[in-house]
Amino acid sequence: MASEAIRARRLHPLTLIFETIRIARHLVLPALAGAISATDDGVARAAAVGFGILAIPAILAAIARYVSFRFHVTDDELILDSGVFSRRRRIIPLSRIQNVDVRQKALERICGVASLLIETAGGKTTEGVLSVLDRAEADALRTRLLASRSGVAPDYATPVETLARLSTRDLVVAGATANEIGLVAAALLSVFQAVQDSLVQRILDSIDSTALDSLPAGLALAGLVVAGAFALLLAGWLLSIAGAVIGYHGFTLERVGDELRKRYGLLARREGSVPLRRVQAIRIEESLMRRPLGLAAVRIETAGSAVAGRRRHPEAFVPLVRRDAVAPLVARVLEGFDPDGVTLLPVHPRTRRRIFARLAAVIVALTAALALLHHPGWLASLVLLVPADALARNAYANRRFAILDDYVVVRVALLGRTTWIIPRRKIQTVHVASSPFQRRHGLATLIVDTASGPRGAARIRDLPLEVARELADRLSAPMPGPAPVR
Amino acid sequence: MPLNAKVETSSSEPSPQGDGTLPLLDPDIRPLDRRVVAYWRLRLAAGTGVAASVGAACGWLLAGPPGAALAALAVFAIGGATASLLPRARYRAWGFAVRHDDLVVKRGVLWRTTSIVPHARIQHVDTRQGPLERRLGLAHVVVHTAGWVGGAIGIPGLTLAHAEALRDQLAALSGDDGV
């Protein structure tokens, strides 16, 4: 068995086909597009041939990459060898592997192959990508890579506990409320209707009067612009719904032993597992549209969850959770921690005025701009200060934090509301930052940084400077008790 | 609408931190090497030169030679003022300390930040030296953690020997820490 495992292996031969398809997508399609759009036949042919010539070395390079690429797993390392002329060897210690995802795009599923994405901490990109492998081989390799990680790998006897499962209906709701697009679309619709009504009125009036073309062209144009914007937003909203339904189809999050396992996707299928002790932070996201509906999304953040430079893919993102199900979910992930039982403290009351001042500056700038344009409604725009005040009050009321023995809880709100729960053992660095405006009032921002990417850093804004400094020192101090296991 | 809230006096008065001292950490905080002021100044001067030539070119296109002269003069005035004032202020704002359990780095003139990097969180430490730094005999140290905000914290303005000593000290202190 051991000798078999040491033997260097190649990727699945289908890799060549997928690579060719990838190159074709990048080179041949633009060539075709160029050929079709070119009016002159000669130009079209030249474009097609040019791109074709570019594709040949790319395909040859892909073949060379395939032939020269080898990987093997020793007892404690994954070794990736590549390079045609200069050999390159990447060694990933198994103990450093954070998680391994099996990803299957639609075509890969049909062909029975899969990609393995190997993440380690600290990297902003995926450290190792094995694309593509035979599906069974991918699963076996994943098990092998993760076996050393937890010491005891969960086997079939380990009970499986479902933490979240989403139906298509849930996903429609999740997509529809994922962001504020739907709300903006609705607002625009009402504006559009108001404009249209007045437009209709104007048309009726103008029939009464002599000429139809007295209808101000500007108004018609404004109507058109609003309608266009609305159509765009509606399309975005529908895309968001479709994205959630397709992307998260059959979403299941399970706890197996000390691991979280997730599965989702209709076309591209993703499976992965996260050891509980690798969880860096939990974020509870209640968007403006979700809060009144008693809904939230929960991100279970792990280290190294950036996927090859593309949009971050949080390792365990539950796109929709009922508000009353959030606490039980958190409790299952963070050793019985009850987020609802925590008393959150407010920040300095000055924060309300600081938020209001910031919003007011924008509104006043808008008013000034309108006044300069001699817009009749310029003074009326100051009415926006009323909702701005309400927003600032809400933001202050919701900007809260708690420093507990084992956890830091930070809540931030403006339109939506986000709550971070960070295990103190996972804090990487702590920062106290202050702007000149904050210093005028003796305030500062406490930043609690974790290894889970750009959104993993929780900011407690507008604490009294002394409090921020004292908390920073406390939070950066080594935790008592046994050192965290690797 | 005026900012109508009452002035809150309940919480702390602005403390006399205007000079940027850190009461908790001050005993050990160390400034950078004095030569870093020259380094920053040269960099700003070079930047000003580039900006002035771009500005002059734009001025020329808009208003001919007088435009070019005016634009260059304006850029030189702003850049010169920055280059003469900012480096010294920045030097005063900078400081770092290697404490028992962590590294403290303090920086920023207007937007001030004090970062605490526990030794256990340090993944690796680099020393780097650019061409200009080499001329001045300076180097900087970059401390890497797995964090995002504090993923790479640089300490500029160290002599090469000091930078290497600091790197070795931090590397020795850093724990092999799982994330």
Side-chain angles (χ1 to χ4, degrees), chain A residues 398-442:
Chain A
N398 277 295
R399 190 177 280 186
R400 283 167 180 268
F401 71 99
I403 312 285
L404 309 170
D405 286 343
D406 294 323
Y407 296 94
V408 176
V409 183
V410 178
R411 176 170 287 171
V412 168
L414 193 64
L415 289 169
R417 191 167 81 169
T418 304
T419 310
W420 278 263
I421 303 167
I422 298 174
R424 281 179 66 173
R425 283 184 193 285
K426 298 300 181 188
I427 295 174
Q428 288 286 327
T429 55
V430 186
H431 311 257
V432 177
S434 61
S435 72
F437 309 106
Q438 282 182 317
R439 274 200 304 281
R440 263 181 57 206
H441 305 295

mmCIF file of all heavy atoms in Angstrom, chain A residues 398-442:
data_model
loop_
_atom_site.group_PDB
_atom_site.id
_atom_site.type_symbol
_atom_site.label_atom_id
_atom_site.label_comp_id
_atom_site.label_asym_id
_atom_site.label_seq_id
_atom_site.Cartn_x
_atom_site.Cartn_y
_atom_site.Cartn_z
ATOM 1 N N ASN A 398 -27.028 49.448 16.951
ATOM 2 C CA ASN A 398 -26.613 48.092 16.594
ATOM 3 C C ASN A 398 -25.111 47.881 16.615
ATOM 4 O O ASN A 398 -24.646 46.773 16.410
ATOM 5 C CB ASN A 398 -27.148 47.730 15.215
ATOM 6 C CG ASN A 398 -28.575 47.244 15.287
ATOM 7 O OD1 ASN A 398 -28.858 46.213 15.874
ATOM 8 N ND2 ASN A 398 -29.480 48.033 14.736
ATOM 9 N N ARG A 399 -24.352 48.965 16.791
ATOM 10 C CA ARG A 399 -22.894 48.803 16.797
ATOM 11 C C ARG A 399 -22.481 48.364 18.191
ATOM 12 O O ARG A 399 -22.400 49.168 19.109
ATOM 13 C CB ARG A 399 -22.232 50.125 16.407
ATOM 14 C CG ARG A 399 -20.756 49.982 16.163
ATOM 15 C CD ARG A 399 -20.156 51.268 15.714
ATOM 16 N NE ARG A 399 -20.383 51.534 14.297
ATOM 17 C CZ ARG A 399 -19.850 52.564 13.659
ATOM 18 N NH1 ARG A 399 -19.100 53.421 14.300
ATOM 19 N NH2 ARG A 399 -20.088 52.745 12.387
ATOM 20 N N ARG A 400 -22.270 47.090 18.339
ATOM 21 C CA ARG A 400 -22.045 46.551 19.673
ATOM 22 C C ARG A 400 -20.952 45.510 19.669
ATOM 23 O O ARG A 400 -20.570 45.000 18.618
ATOM 24 C CB ARG A 400 -23.346 45.938 20.204
ATOM 25 C CG ARG A 400 -24.291 47.022 20.661
ATOM 26 C CD ARG A 400 -25.683 46.547 20.912
ATOM 27 N NE ARG A 400 -26.464 47.692 21.345
ATOM 28 C CZ ARG A 400 -26.634 48.037 22.609
ATOM 29 N NH1 ARG A 400 -26.148 47.305 23.574
ATOM 30 N NH2 ARG A 400 -27.336 49.103 22.917
ATOM 31 N N PHE A 401 -20.477 45.185 20.862
ATOM 32 C CA PHE A 401 -19.401 44.201 20.935
ATOM 33 C C PHE A 401 -19.411 43.541 22.293
ATOM 34 O O PHE A 401 -20.024 44.042 23.241
ATOM 35 C CB PHE A 401 -18.043 44.871 20.682
ATOM 36 C CG PHE A 401 -17.604 45.753 21.818
ATOM 37 C CD1 PHE A 401 -16.694 45.285 22.753
ATOM 38 C CD2 PHE A 401 -18.097 47.032 21.953
ATOM 39 C CE1 PHE A 401 -16.282 46.079 23.812
ATOM 40 C CE2 PHE A 401 -17.707 47.841 23.014
ATOM 41 C CZ PHE A 401 -16.798 47.361 23.939
ATOM 42 N N ALA A 402 -18.742 42.417 22.359
ATOM 43 C CA ALA A 402 -18.540 41.743 23.641
ATOM 44 C C ALA A 402 -17.208 41.024 23.591
ATOM 45 O O ALA A 402 -16.862 40.408 22.580
ATOM 46 C CB ALA A 402 -19.669 40.745 23.903
ATOM 47 N N ILE A 403 -16.430 41.149 24.647
ATOM 48 C CA ILE A 403 -15.168 40.415 24.755
ATOM 49 C C ILE A 403 -15.385 39.371 25.834
ATOM 50 O O ILE A 403 -15.485 39.705 27.010
ATOM 51 C CB ILE A 403 -14.000 41.350 25.154
ATOM 52 C CG1 ILE A 403 -13.984 42.615 24.304
ATOM 53 C CG2 ILE A 403 -12.673 40.605 25.115
ATOM 54 C CD1 ILE A 403 -13.500 42.469 22.900
ATOM 55 N N LEU A 404 -15.508 38.128 25.431
ATOM 56 C CA LEU A 404 -15.763 37.067 26.398
ATOM 57 C C LEU A 404 -14.469 36.301 26.655
ATOM 58 O O LEU A 404 -13.434 36.609 26.068
ATOM 59 C CB LEU A 404 -16.837 36.123 25.849
ATOM 60 C CG LEU A 404 -18.101 36.838 25.353
ATOM 61 C CD1 LEU A 404 -18.999 35.886 24.615
ATOM 62 C CD2 LEU A 404 -18.833 37.468 26.534
ATOM 63 N N ASP A 405 -14.548 35.287 27.504
ATOM 64 C CA ASP A 405 -13.339 34.529 27.817
ATOM 65 C C ASP A 405 -12.772 33.849 26.583
ATOM 66 O O ASP A 405 -11.569 33.833 26.359
ATOM 67 C CB ASP A 405 -13.642 33.482 28.892
ATOM 68 C CG ASP A 405 -13.817 34.141 30.256
ATOM 69 O OD1 ASP A 405 -13.387 35.306 30.376
ATOM 70 O OD2 ASP A 405 -14.380 33.500 31.157
ATOM 71 N N ASP A 406 -13.662 33.274 25.780
ATOM 72 C CA ASP A 406 -13.180 32.502 24.637
ATOM 73 C C ASP A 406 -13.544 33.100 23.288
ATOM 74 O O ASP A 406 -13.083 32.644 22.257
ATOM 75 C CB ASP A 406 -13.751 31.076 24.695
ATOM 76 C CG ASP A 406 -13.206 30.314 25.883
ATOM 77 O OD1 ASP A 406 -12.025 30.508 26.187
ATOM 78 O OD2 ASP A 406 -13.970 29.567 26.514
ATOM 79 N N TYR A 407 -14.428 34.087 23.288
ATOM 80 C CA TYR A 407 -14.914 34.614 22.026
ATOM 81 C C TYR A 407 -14.954 36.139 22.032
ATOM 82 O O TYR A 407 -15.074 36.764 23.082
ATOM 83 C CB TYR A 407 -16.330 34.109 21.720
ATOM 84 C CG TYR A 407 -16.382 32.619 21.523
ATOM 85 C CD1 TYR A 407 -16.698 31.771 22.582
ATOM 86 C CD2 TYR A 407 -16.078 32.071 20.291
ATOM 87 C CE1 TYR A 407 -16.717 30.397 22.410
ATOM 88 C CE2 TYR A 407 -16.091 30.699 20.104
ATOM 89 C CZ TYR A 407 -16.417 29.871 21.166
ATOM 90 O OH TYR A 407 -16.425 28.527 20.987
ATOM 91 N N VAL A 408 -14.866 36.688 20.829
ATOM 92 C CA VAL A 408 -15.127 38.108 20.631
ATOM 93 C C VAL A 408 -16.347 38.196 19.728
ATOM 94 O O VAL A 408 -16.410 37.510 18.710
ATOM 95 C CB VAL A 408 -13.923 38.802 19.948
ATOM 96 C CG1 VAL A 408 -14.233 40.257 19.654
ATOM 97 C CG2 VAL A 408 -12.692 38.681 20.819
ATOM 98 N N VAL A 409 -17.318 39.007 20.112
ATOM 99 C CA VAL A 409 -18.497 39.190 19.286
ATOM 100 C C VAL A 409 -18.558 40.655 18.875
ATOM 101 O O VAL A 409 -18.413 41.545 19.717
ATOM 102 C CB VAL A 409 -19.789 38.804 20.050
ATOM 103 C CG1 VAL A 409 -21.005 38.926 19.128
ATOM 104 C CG2 VAL A 409 -19.677 37.395 20.596
ATOM 105 N N VAL A 410 -18.699 40.892 17.575
ATOM 106 C CA VAL A 410 -18.741 42.257 17.075
ATOM 107 C C VAL A 410 -19.937 42.390 16.149
ATOM 108 O O VAL A 410 -20.150 41.548 15.277
ATOM 109 C CB VAL A 410 -17.451 42.612 16.293
ATOM 110 C CG1 VAL A 410 -17.534 44.029 15.739
ATOM 111 C CG2 VAL A 410 -16.225 42.454 17.169
ATOM 112 N N ARG A 411 -20.721 43.445 16.356
ATOM 113 C CA ARG A 411 -21.885 43.657 15.501
ATOM 114 C C ARG A 411 -21.784 45.028 14.848
ATOM 115 O O ARG A 411 -21.396 46.002 15.487
ATOM 116 C CB ARG A 411 -23.164 43.559 16.326
ATOM 117 C CG ARG A 411 -24.400 43.868 15.530
ATOM 118 C CD ARG A 411 -25.637 43.513 16.309
ATOM 119 N NE ARG A 411 -25.808 42.070 16.375
ATOM 120 C CZ ARG A 411 -26.714 41.470 17.151
ATOM 121 N NH1 ARG A 411 -27.468 42.182 17.948
ATOM 122 N NH2 ARG A 411 -26.834 40.168 17.136
ATOM 123 N N VAL A 412 -22.115 45.068 13.575
ATOM 124 C CA VAL A 412 -22.032 46.304 12.799
ATOM 125 C C VAL A 412 -23.309 46.416 11.982
ATOM 126 O O VAL A 412 -23.815 45.419 11.482
ATOM 127 C CB VAL A 412 -20.809 46.252 11.854
ATOM 128 C CG1 VAL A 412 -20.867 47.369 10.842
ATOM 129 C CG2 VAL A 412 -19.515 46.321 12.635
ATOM 130 N N ALA A 413 -23.857 47.614 11.870
ATOM 131 C CA ALA A 413 -25.080 47.772 11.083
ATOM 132 C C ALA A 413 -25.095 49.117 10.402
ATOM 133 O O ALA A 413 -24.619 50.105 10.944
ATOM 134 C CB ALA A 413 -26.313 47.637 11.977
ATOM 135 N N LEU A 414 -25.615 49.148 9.206
ATOM 136 C CA LEU A 414 -26.044 50.418 8.631
ATOM 137 C C LEU A 414 -27.419 50.141 8.036
ATOM 138 O O LEU A 414 -28.423 50.412 8.669
ATOM 139 C CB LEU A 414 -25.049 50.941 7.586
ATOM 140 C CG LEU A 414 -25.308 52.391 7.210
ATOM 141 C CD1 LEU A 414 -25.100 53.309 8.397
ATOM 142 C CD2 LEU A 414 -24.437 52.842 6.060
ATOM 143 N N LEU A 415 -27.460 49.538 6.861
ATOM 144 C CA LEU A 415 -28.747 49.083 6.333
ATOM 145 C C LEU A 415 -28.999 47.660 6.802
ATOM 146 O O LEU A 415 -30.001 47.359 7.413
ATOM 147 C CB LEU A 415 -28.727 49.156 4.813
ATOM 148 C CG LEU A 415 -28.753 50.567 4.231
ATOM 149 C CD1 LEU A 415 -28.456 50.537 2.744
ATOM 150 C CD2 LEU A 415 -30.100 51.226 4.475
ATOM 151 N N GLY A 416 -28.053 46.809 6.513
ATOM 152 C CA GLY A 416 -28.144 45.440 6.999
ATOM 153 C C GLY A 416 -27.416 45.337 8.324
ATOM 154 O O GLY A 416 -26.989 46.335 8.894
ATOM 155 N N ARG A 417 -27.260 44.126 8.794
ATOM 156 C CA ARG A 417 -26.579 43.953 10.069
ATOM 157 C C ARG A 417 -25.678 42.726 9.979
ATOM 158 O O ARG A 417 -26.087 41.693 9.452
ATOM 159 C CB ARG A 417 -27.616 43.756 11.170
ATOM 160 C CG ARG A 417 -27.033 43.838 12.554
ATOM 161 C CD ARG A 417 -28.135 43.944 13.566
ATOM 162 N NE ARG A 417 -28.710 42.638 13.860
ATOM 163 C CZ ARG A 417 -29.550 42.437 14.879
ATOM 164 N NH1 ARG A 417 -29.931 43.438 15.649
ATOM 165 N NH2 ARG A 417 -30.031 41.242 15.092
ATOM 166 N N THR A 418 -24.471 42.852 10.459
ATOM 167 C CA THR A 418 -23.528 41.740 10.413
ATOM 168 C C THR A 418 -22.970 41.505 11.800
ATOM 169 O O THR A 418 -22.610 42.449 12.485
ATOM 170 C CB THR A 418 -22.372 42.054 9.438
ATOM 171 O OG1 THR A 418 -22.929 42.356 8.166
ATOM 172 C CG2 THR A 418 -21.441 40.874 9.305
ATOM 173 N N THR A 419 -22.924 40.253 12.207
ATOM 174 C CA THR A 419 -22.368 39.912 13.511
ATOM 175 C C THR A 419 -21.218 38.927 13.315
ATOM 176 O O THR A 419 -21.394 37.913 12.660
ATOM 177 C CB THR A 419 -23.448 39.272 14.402
ATOM 178 O OG1 THR A 419 -24.609 40.113 14.386
ATOM 179 C CG2 THR A 419 -22.957 39.114 15.828
ATOM 180 N N TRP A 420 -20.057 39.272 13.860
ATOM 181 C CA TRP A 420 -18.904 38.376 13.815
ATOM 182 C C TRP A 420 -18.819 37.641 15.143
ATOM 183 O O TRP A 420 -18.992 38.251 16.194
ATOM 184 C CB TRP A 420 -17.603 39.154 13.695
ATOM 185 C CG TRP A 420 -17.188 39.614 12.344
ATOM 186 C CD1 TRP A 420 -16.316 38.997 11.512
ATOM 187 C CD2 TRP A 420 -17.573 40.828 11.697
ATOM 188 N NE1 TRP A 420 -16.148 39.752 10.375
ATOM 189 C CE2 TRP A 420 -16.904 40.862 10.456
ATOM 190 C CE3 TRP A 420 -18.439 41.871 12.026
ATOM 191 C CZ2 TRP A 420 -17.053 41.909 9.562
ATOM 192 C CZ3 TRP A 420 -18.594 42.905 11.139
ATOM 193 C CH2 TRP A 420 -17.907 42.917 9.914
ATOM 194 N N ILE A 421 -18.493 36.374 15.077
ATOM 195 C CA ILE A 421 -18.141 35.647 16.290
ATOM 196 C C ILE A 421 -16.759 35.059 16.038
ATOM 197 O O ILE A 421 -16.577 34.248 15.131
ATOM 198 C CB ILE A 421 -19.152 34.532 16.598
ATOM 199 C CG1 ILE A 421 -20.561 35.130 16.728
ATOM 200 C CG2 ILE A 421 -18.761 33.798 17.875
ATOM 201 C CD1 ILE A 421 -21.654 34.103 16.715
ATOM 202 N N ILE A 422 -15.783 35.527 16.789
ATOM 203 C CA ILE A 422 -14.404 35.105 16.558
ATOM 204 C C ILE A 422 -13.883 34.390 17.804
ATOM 205 O O ILE A 422 -13.860 34.968 18.882
ATOM 206 C CB ILE A 422 -13.510 36.323 16.253
ATOM 207 C CG1 ILE A 422 -13.998 37.015 14.973
ATOM 208 C CG2 ILE A 422 -12.051 35.905 16.127
ATOM 209 C CD1 ILE A 422 -13.278 38.306 14.674
ATOM 210 N N PRO A 423 -13.495 33.122 17.665
ATOM 211 C CA PRO A 423 -12.867 32.459 18.806
ATOM 212 C C PRO A 423 -11.543 33.170 19.108
ATOM 213 O O PRO A 423 -10.780 33.460 18.192
ATOM 214 C CB PRO A 423 -12.604 31.034 18.294
ATOM 215 C CG PRO A 423 -13.459 30.882 17.077
ATOM 216 C CD PRO A 423 -13.613 32.238 16.500
ATOM 217 N N ARG A 424 -11.291 33.451 20.369
ATOM 218 C CA ARG A 424 -10.100 34.244 20.693
ATOM 219 C C ARG A 424 -8.809 33.547 20.312
ATOM 220 O O ARG A 424 -7.820 34.188 20.004
ATOM 221 C CB ARG A 424 -10.101 34.612 22.177
ATOM 222 C CG ARG A 424 -11.028 35.785 22.431
ATOM 223 C CD ARG A 424 -11.087 36.177 23.865
ATOM 224 N NE ARG A 424 -9.826 36.697 24.371
ATOM 225 C CZ ARG A 424 -9.689 37.220 25.582
ATOM 226 N NH1 ARG A 424 -10.739 37.294 26.385
ATOM 227 N NH2 ARG A 424 -8.540 37.657 26.000
ATOM 228 N N ARG A 425 -8.858 32.202 20.296
ATOM 229 C CA ARG A 425 -7.657 31.464 19.891
ATOM 230 C C ARG A 425 -7.316 31.683 18.427
ATOM 231 O O ARG A 425 -6.216 31.356 17.982
ATOM 232 C CB ARG A 425 -7.866 29.964 20.122
ATOM 233 C CG ARG A 425 -7.748 29.573 21.551
ATOM 234 C CD ARG A 425 -7.878 28.073 21.702
ATOM 235 N NE ARG A 425 -8.063 27.739 23.096
ATOM 236 C CZ ARG A 425 -7.087 27.770 23.993
ATOM 237 N NH1 ARG A 425 -5.879 28.125 23.622
ATOM 238 N NH2 ARG A 425 -7.336 27.474 25.246
ATOM 239 N N LYS A 426 -8.277 32.182 17.656
ATOM 240 C CA LYS A 426 -8.050 32.346 16.221
ATOM 241 C C LYS A 426 -7.642 33.772 15.852
ATOM 242 O O LYS A 426 -7.464 34.078 14.678
ATOM 243 C CB LYS A 426 -9.321 31.978 15.447
ATOM 244 C CG LYS A 426 -9.749 30.549 15.633
ATOM 245 C CD LYS A 426 -8.677 29.599 15.159
ATOM 246 C CE LYS A 426 -9.122 28.157 15.320
ATOM 247 N NZ LYS A 426 -8.020 27.236 15.033
ATOM 248 N N ILE A 427 -7.527 34.630 16.831
ATOM 249 C CA ILE A 427 -7.128 36.004 16.531
ATOM 250 C C ILE A 427 -5.682 36.002 16.057
ATOM 251 O O ILE A 427 -4.812 35.403 16.694
ATOM 252 C CB ILE A 427 -7.284 36.906 17.768
ATOM 253 C CG1 ILE A 427 -8.765 37.011 18.138
ATOM 254 C CG2 ILE A 427 -6.703 38.302 17.500
ATOM 255 C CD1 ILE A 427 -9.013 37.752 19.430
ATOM 256 N N GLN A 428 -5.429 36.637 14.931
ATOM 257 C CA GLN A 428 -4.072 36.706 14.399
ATOM 258 C C GLN A 428 -3.343 37.933 14.927
ATOM 259 O O GLN A 428 -2.355 37.815 15.625
ATOM 260 C CB GLN A 428 -4.127 36.763 12.866
ATOM 261 C CG GLN A 428 -4.533 35.459 12.230
ATOM 262 C CD GLN A 428 -3.408 34.444 12.288
ATOM 263 O OE1 GLN A 428 -2.232 34.802 12.227
ATOM 264 N NE2 GLN A 428 -3.757 33.183 12.428
ATOM 265 N N THR A 429 -3.816 39.094 14.540
ATOM 266 C CA THR A 429 -3.200 40.340 14.986
ATOM 267 C C THR A 429 -4.308 41.267 15.478
ATOM 268 O O THR A 429 -5.475 41.088 15.143
ATOM 269 C CB THR A 429 -2.434 41.037 13.853
ATOM 270 O OG1 THR A 429 -3.329 41.235 12.755
ATOM 271 C CG2 THR A 429 -1.268 40.206 13.384
ATOM 272 N N VAL A 430 -3.911 42.247 16.276
ATOM 273 C CA VAL A 430 -4.872 43.210 16.804
ATOM 274 C C VAL A 430 -4.328 44.605 16.507
ATOM 275 O O VAL A 430 -3.122 44.840 16.618
ATOM 276 C CB VAL A 430 -5.065 43.020 18.322
ATOM 277 C CG1 VAL A 430 -6.170 43.921 18.830
ATOM 278 C CG2 VAL A 430 -5.376 41.574 18.652
ATOM 279 N N HIS A 431 -5.199 45.505 16.092
ATOM 280 C CA HIS A 431 -4.754 46.844 15.738
ATOM 281 C C HIS A 431 -5.654 47.883 16.394
ATOM 282 O O HIS A 431 -6.854 47.672 16.523
ATOM 283 C CB HIS A 431 -4.823 47.054 14.225
ATOM 284 C CG HIS A 431 -4.192 45.939 13.448
ATOM 285 N ND1 HIS A 431 -2.961 46.028 12.875
ATOM 286 C CD2 HIS A 431 -4.634 44.686 13.174
ATOM 287 C CE1 HIS A 431 -2.667 44.900 12.267
ATOM 288 N NE2 HIS A 431 -3.669 44.060 12.441
ATOM 289 N N VAL A 432 -5.033 48.995 16.772
ATOM 290 C CA VAL A 432 -5.807 50.149 17.219
ATOM 291 C C VAL A 432 -5.546 51.252 16.203
ATOM 292 O O VAL A 432 -4.395 51.650 16.007
ATOM 293 C CB VAL A 432 -5.373 50.608 18.627
ATOM 294 C CG1 VAL A 432 -6.152 51.852 19.037
ATOM 295 C CG2 VAL A 432 -5.589 49.489 19.625
ATOM 296 N N ALA A 433 -6.581 51.703 15.529
ATOM 297 C CA ALA A 433 -6.407 52.723 14.498
ATOM 298 C C ALA A 433 -7.250 53.933 14.853
ATOM 299 O O ALA A 433 -8.328 53.791 15.439
ATOM 300 C CB ALA A 433 -6.829 52.180 13.137
ATOM 301 N N SER A 434 -6.762 55.108 14.516
ATOM 302 C CA SER A 434 -7.577 56.294 14.769
ATOM 303 C C SER A 434 -7.373 57.318 13.668
ATOM 304 O O SER A 434 -6.254 57.566 13.230
ATOM 305 C CB SER A 434 -7.233 56.896 16.131
ATOM 306 O OG SER A 434 -5.879 57.280 16.156
ATOM 307 N N SER A 435 -8.473 57.890 13.207
ATOM 308 C CA SER A 435 -8.430 58.960 12.219
ATOM 309 C C SER A 435 -8.343 60.281 12.975
ATOM 310 O O SER A 435 -8.627 60.334 14.173
ATOM 311 C CB SER A 435 -9.683 58.915 11.363
ATOM 312 O OG SER A 435 -10.789 59.337 12.117
ATOM 313 N N PRO A 436 -7.969 61.364 12.292
ATOM 314 C CA PRO A 436 -7.924 62.665 12.971
ATOM 315 C C PRO A 436 -9.280 63.027 13.586
ATOM 316 O O PRO A 436 -9.340 63.621 14.667
ATOM 317 C CB PRO A 436 -7.561 63.639 11.845
ATOM 318 C CG PRO A 436 -6.949 62.811 10.785
ATOM 319 C CD PRO A 436 -7.525 61.446 10.906
ATOM 320 N N PHE A 437 -10.365 62.658 12.910
ATOM 321 C CA PHE A 437 -11.710 62.978 13.424
ATOM 322 C C PHE A 437 -11.980 62.216 14.713
ATOM 323 O O PHE A 437 -12.569 62.735 15.657
ATOM 324 C CB PHE A 437 -12.766 62.640 12.378
ATOM 325 C CG PHE A 437 -12.478 63.211 11.022
ATOM 326 C CD1 PHE A 437 -12.050 62.400 9.995
ATOM 327 C CD2 PHE A 437 -12.605 64.577 10.797
ATOM 328 C CE1 PHE A 437 -11.756 62.932 8.749
ATOM 329 C CE2 PHE A 437 -12.316 65.115 9.557
ATOM 330 C CZ PHE A 437 -11.890 64.296 8.528
ATOM 331 N N GLN A 438 -11.557 60.959 14.721
ATOM 332 C CA GLN A 438 -11.766 60.171 15.936
ATOM 333 C C GLN A 438 -10.927 60.725 17.080
ATOM 334 O O GLN A 438 -11.399 60.795 18.212
ATOM 335 C CB GLN A 438 -11.376 58.712 15.678
ATOM 336 C CG GLN A 438 -12.412 57.927 14.903
ATOM 337 C CD GLN A 438 -11.980 56.482 14.730
ATOM 338 O OE1 GLN A 438 -10.824 56.194 14.423
ATOM 339 N NE2 GLN A 438 -12.901 55.567 14.916
ATOM 340 N N ARG A 439 -9.704 61.133 16.779
ATOM 341 C CA ARG A 439 -8.819 61.600 17.850
ATOM 342 C C ARG A 439 -9.342 62.868 18.508
ATOM 343 O O ARG A 439 -9.117 63.108 19.685
ATOM 344 C CB ARG A 439 -7.407 61.816 17.312
ATOM 345 C CG ARG A 439 -6.575 60.552 17.339
ATOM 346 C CD ARG A 439 -5.104 60.841 17.266
ATOM 347 N NE ARG A 439 -4.755 61.626 16.098
ATOM 348 C CZ ARG A 439 -4.631 61.145 14.868
ATOM 349 N NH1 ARG A 439 -4.840 59.867 14.661
ATOM 350 N NH2 ARG A 439 -4.309 61.922 13.866
ATOM 351 N N ARG A 440 -10.070 63.689 17.742
ATOM 352 C CA ARG A 440 -10.643 64.898 18.327
ATOM 353 C C ARG A 440 -11.530 64.549 19.520
ATOM 354 O O ARG A 440 -11.704 65.345 20.434
ATOM 355 C CB ARG A 440 -11.492 65.629 17.289
ATOM 356 C CG ARG A 440 -10.755 66.739 16.600
ATOM 357 C CD ARG A 440 -11.657 67.424 15.608
ATOM 358 N NE ARG A 440 -12.874 67.950 16.210
ATOM 359 C CZ ARG A 440 -14.014 68.136 15.530
ATOM 360 N NH1 ARG A 440 -14.078 67.819 14.255
ATOM 361 N NH2 ARG A 440 -15.074 68.631 16.111
ATOM 362 N N HIS A 441 -12.137 63.376 19.456
ATOM 363 C CA HIS A 441 -13.044 62.975 20.537
ATOM 364 C C HIS A 441 -12.445 61.858 21.377
ATOM 365 O O HIS A 441 -13.160 61.217 22.149
ATOM 366 C CB HIS A 441 -14.381 62.530 19.955
ATOM 367 C CG HIS A 441 -15.006 63.559 19.074
ATOM 368 N ND1 HIS A 441 -15.445 64.777 19.545
ATOM 369 C CD2 HIS A 441 -15.225 63.572 17.747
ATOM 370 C CE1 HIS A 441 -15.921 65.474 18.548
ATOM 371 N NE2 HIS A 441 -15.800 64.780 17.435
ATOM 372 N N GLY A 442 -11.166 61.598 21.191
ATOM 373 C CA GLY A 442 -10.511 60.555 21.974
ATOM 374 C C GLY A 442 -11.018 59.166 21.666
ATOM 375 O O GLY A 442 -11.098 58.313 22.542
#
